[in-house]
Amino acid sequence: MAVQVRLAPVQSFAELEGEWRTLEAELPAPSFFQSWSWVGCLAEERYPDPVLLRAEADGRLLGLALFNRRRRRLHLAESGDAGMDAPFIEHNAPLAHPQALAPLLRAAWGAGARRLVLNGVPPALPPAAGGVALRWQERMAPRLGLEPIRAAGGDWLAGRSGNSRYQIRRSNRAYGALRLHRADGAEQALAFLEALIRLHEATWRARGKPGAFATPFLRCFHEALIRRAAPRGELDMLRIEADGKDVGYLYNFRMRGHVHAYQSGLDHAGAGPHQKPGLTCHALAIEHALARGDSVYDFLAGADRYKRSLASAELPLIWAEMVPRWSALGVAARLRGLLRRS
């Protein structure tokens, strides 16, 4: 079955949503970051020069890849503008059946691109596009597999280190009676988001940094995303409290049993000497995911100590910029590679 790829103009993002959602439902395990809830959020603003590639075989749609063209670069599911791409994308890829992935990526060169920007993608994806990596950064994404834990009786702490078990149990005891609340609908999720942002910004200001909600666009993006994702059951906006006081909030995505721990707001200022709000909040969220039947609790990319202490495995994700093999930049990159190996 020959896969054919064609460039299709985006006449309407609303029409594209229907096709995207249909294909999304066909695939066994798309990530939340491939869903239209994420890719299509504020699409008119984020993709001012959209490039849509469609892969088909025998009249059947097999794959879609949405890029934005910016300065002769094609950015997969991103705008190419640093401010609008600040909502960090991970587990990124074209929305496609496996046989259509490589054809979609290779076809991108025919859309007038001098460079392909493929951020937060699996390691096999950039080589499948062809060309040479001008930029290649690997980040590990720690995760906790929940199905083996459930099969072994459900005690997820049993597989963690002795020190991790001690820290979590001591923190939970120090807090006392803990409760987890999942936002019921978009309006409550937005109220939780406001509380999360207050705690998040207080933490990051203390570090001299702006945090993940520092611009009007970031606030607008996440408010729009919550309104899209909450009615579809794709959002876990969680409040963890002890004796009526906030311990923290978690802003997690959920897709086909895969939970992405995206952002948090934690009450570090109010924590006692043995209280660790991050560990306690994620511990309760993991127990919640186990009870609900989810399969993976994904901490996303980053080398934070708490992620590694709670995880059971990790996957590499790549941030890459590819150029044609025989372009001037491609030849120079290959020569640098040869010199490093010599």
Side-chain angles (χ1 to χ4, degrees), residues 164-246:
S164 295
R165 294 197 302 273
Y166 172 73
Q167 295 287 344
I168 291 167
R169 288 168 176 157
R170 184 175 68 168
S171 177
N172 291 356
R173 284 196 302 271
Y175 277 114
L178 288 159
R179 291 186 64 192
L180 178 147
H181 306 272
R182 181 177 184 267
D184 182 14
E187 294 308 317
Q188 188 175 35
L190 289 168
F192 281 14
L193 177 68
E194 288 302 314
L196 180 152
I197 289 172
R198 287 194 293 272
L199 291 171
H200 177 90
E201 289 184 340
T203 298
W204 285 92
R205 279 197 302 269
R207 299 173 184 174
K209 296 181 180 180
F213 304 94
T215 68
F217 175 79
L218 284 165
R219 293 286 293 264
C220 184
F221 177 88
H222 288 293
E223 288 169 7
L225 184 63
I226 286 168
R227 292 191 183 278
R228 285 169 162 267
R232 298 177 60 84
E234 297 169 348
L235 178 72
D236 277 351
M237 187 68 79
L238 307 176
R239 174 183 178 240
I240 294 84
E241 55 99 355
D243 298 325
K245 297 180 180 179
D246 287 346

Side-chain angles (χ1 to χ4, degrees), residues 78-143:
E78 292 188 298
S79 71
D81 175 271
M84 283 193 283
D85 294 336
F88 207 56
I89 192 168
E90 304 189 32
H91 298 289
N92 185 18
L95 187 72
H97 290 274
Q99 67 268 36
L101 275 172
L104 275 169
L105 291 165
R106 290 196 298 267
W109 297 112
R114 290 183 178 174
R115 305 187 190 187
L116 292 182
V117 180
L118 306 171
N119 285 335
V121 300
L125 212 63
V132 180
L134 192 64
R135 170 174 59 85
W136 183 282
Q137 181 185 17
E138 180 181 276
R139 297 173 182 170
M140 302 305 292
R143 54 171 47 196

Side-chain angles (χ1 to χ4, degrees), residues 245-262:
K245 297 180 180 179
D246 287 346
V247 176
Y249 292 80
L250 297 179
Y251 177 14
N252 295 351
F253 304 127
R254 182 170 178 258
M255 189 85 169
R256 312 276 179 89
H258 193 130
V259 178
H260 300 283
Y262 186 73

Side-chain angles (χ1 to χ4, degrees), residues 116 130 145 217 237 290 292 327 331:
L116 292 182
F217 175 79
M237 187 68 79
L290 273 167
R292 197 173 45 185
S327 67
V331 170

Side-chain angles (χ1 to χ4, degrees), residues 5 53-55 62-65 67 94-96 100-108:
V5 179
L53 296 173
R54 300 172 53 92
L62 293 180
L64 293 166
F67 297 84
L95 187 72
L101 275 172
L104 275 169
L105 291 165
R106 290 196 298 267

